[in-house]
Every structure is written in structure tokens, then in C-alpha cells.
Amino acid sequence: MTKDGIRIYEDADFAGMHAAGRTAAEILDEVGPLVTPGTTTAAIDDFIRNRVEALGAVSATIGYRGYRHASCISVNHVVCHGIPGAKLLKDGDILNIDVTVILDGWFGDTSRMFVAGTPSRKAARLIEVTHEALMLGIAAVRPGNTFGDIGAAIQAHVEANRMSVVRDFCGHGLGRVFHAPPNVLHYGRPGTGPVLEEGMFFTIEPMVNLGRPETKVLADDWTAVTRDKSLSAQFEHSIGVTATGGEIFTLSPAGRFYTSASGSS
Ligand code: MF3
Ligand code: CO
Ligand code: CO
């Protein structure tokens, strides 16, 4: 069944999404201790690729539109779709690690911020505001609300903190497929957009910049960076709409929201 072109899943489908989401989140929990100055993002990606396989899942990103890695790792002013590589992380780097797995045909897509060593105060605040914005967006999820309500909640919090919401990338429906309608915008006006209905599955994944919202994609055709080179942060959860609200499929089994080498918070 669909509504406004958005697939409506059955009650029984929530279990599959929970299992897939939990697998992706568990891998991010495990990655935390690897994120230290002197590590390469390629080494982190190798670890993720092995863990996806060991947990009986399949990477959704390897082979996706020619992408060749098990994660996207977006460091500092990289907004999203950073390609893991040989560059060494250095003290104070902030990075988003985005993992999507397929488990029994269900997609689990989640990303979090990590810090190598100690972040600047501004960077730490950017990470905090971005996570708060995601959770405020999720709090707006309930049947009868609209996708515009989600975007408006995110945008209001980000802009109240004098940061900006990236417009060039959005969340997406998912479930048995990686990217499906609707586009989930992280800005907008309350009461606009499609109406949320029980059984819709989608991601919310706001990207927030310390400077201006504009981005550009580098010559590798993947890496998106802030045009003004300001720092960018992102968190992503996969969500299902229940009768009363939004259920998060990708909560950290270890209870973390982001992790640094020195521990979690
Ligand atoms: N996981 C990303 C998302 O949130 C998509 C990555 S596609 C890739 O939608 F090919 F770059 F890995
Ligand atoms: Co996504
Ligand atoms: Co993702």
C-alpha cells in the first residue's frame, strides 16, 4: 500500500527494520575506540566492512551507484559522502561515520559524529546542536503531522544557535529499498508537505554547518564539502511511524549518541 507515493509498511515489518537498524548502530558503537589521531579513515572502513559481514549483513553502499566502500566518512568541512582513504586523522578532527546495512532484505541506515582526540569548543557545540536538531525532528514524528513539521523543528533549533541547515541533501524513505520517496527535508514550514501516516519508514539525517549552508561536490563525484570551508556535522536515524510517534530503529545498543576515543556521551 502507498499514500502520496510513500509506501506504508505492515506491523510485522517493524521487526525486520529493528534488526537491521540495530546491526548498523551496533557497528557504530564498536567503531568508537578506533577513532583516534593517527588512524586512517580507510582503516575504519575496513573494520566496518568486516563487522557488517561478521554480523550476517550486507553493505548497502558497496556497489551502490559505483561507490566502493562500506561507509561514508566525512571529516571536518566534508558535509557527507566522504570517501574513506589514506589520510591520517589528527587531534581535534570531527567526523561523521555513516553505515547502511541490509539484513534479511531490510535496510538500516545511521550515522553519528565522532571526535579524534579533543574537539574545539565550537566543534563540540556544533555536534551537540546537530544531535539535538535530529532528536527534535524525531519528536515531531506522529500520524497527522507533516514532513514540514519535521523540517521546521530542525531548522528552528539550528538557526536559533546561529548555525545553518544544508539544503542540498535530504533524508529519504527506506525499508526494503535504500532510497525511496519522500525526500525528507531538514528545513521547511509547519503544516506543509505530505502527511505522516503509521507504517511509513524513513531517515532523518540533518547536516548542519557552522557557516553558510552552501555545498559543492568535489571532482571525485562523491565528496560534498561546505563552500565556505566551515565545519559540518550530521546525525542520522532510521525511523518508523507508529500510532503514537516515531520509533527509532537505529538507537545505539550501548546507549551512545556519539563517541570519542576517550569515551562516550
Ligand atoms: N548512507 C547514505 C544516506 O544516508 C547514503 C550513502 S550512499 C554512498 O543516505 F554510496 F555514498 F555510500
Ligand atoms: Co540515509
Ligand atoms: Co546514511
Side-chain angles (χ1 to χ4, degrees), residues 61 64 67 69 71-72 81 98-100 109 172 178-179 203 205 222 234 236:
T61 55
Y64 177 78
Y67 195 78
H69 307 272
S71 61
C72 297
H81 302 162
D98 190 339
V99 174
T100 311
D109 185 5
H172 49 93
F178 196 170
H179 292 112
T203 72
E205 47 182 299
W222 283 106
Q234 179 179 27
E236 174 177 27

Side-chain angles (χ1 to χ4, degrees), residues 146-250:
T146 69
F147 281 93
D149 293 329
I150 298 173
I154 292 167
Q155 183 179 14
H157 186 65
V158 169
E159 293 179 355
N161 284 280
R162 296 177 308 282
M163 299 174 191
S164 66
V165 174
V166 169
R167 308 316 202 242
D168 300 337
F169 299 91
C170 56
H172 49 93
L174 86 172
R176 290 270 190 205
V177 293
F178 196 170
H179 292 112
N183 286 334
V184 180
L185 307 184
H186 304 113
Y187 59 95
R189 281 183 307 156
T192 63
V195 176
L196 296 165
E197 201 171 291
E198 189 176 350
M200 289 179 177
F201 295 166
F202 53 87
T203 72
I204 306 179
E205 47 182 299
M207 286 140 274
V208 176
N209 299 347
L210 273 184
R212 297 205 38 89
E214 290 79 12
T215 70
K216 68 175 178 191
V217 175
L218 301 185
D220 62 23
D221 276 345
W222 283 106
T223 313
V225 299
T226 55
R227 280 195 177 264
D228 65 6
K229 304 246 173 42
S230 66
L231 289 179
S232 188
Q234 179 179 27
F235 284 86
E236 174 177 27
H237 274 312
S238 297
I239 310 285
V241 183
T242 68
T244 53
E247 200 161 299
I248 304 176
F249 297 130
T250 45

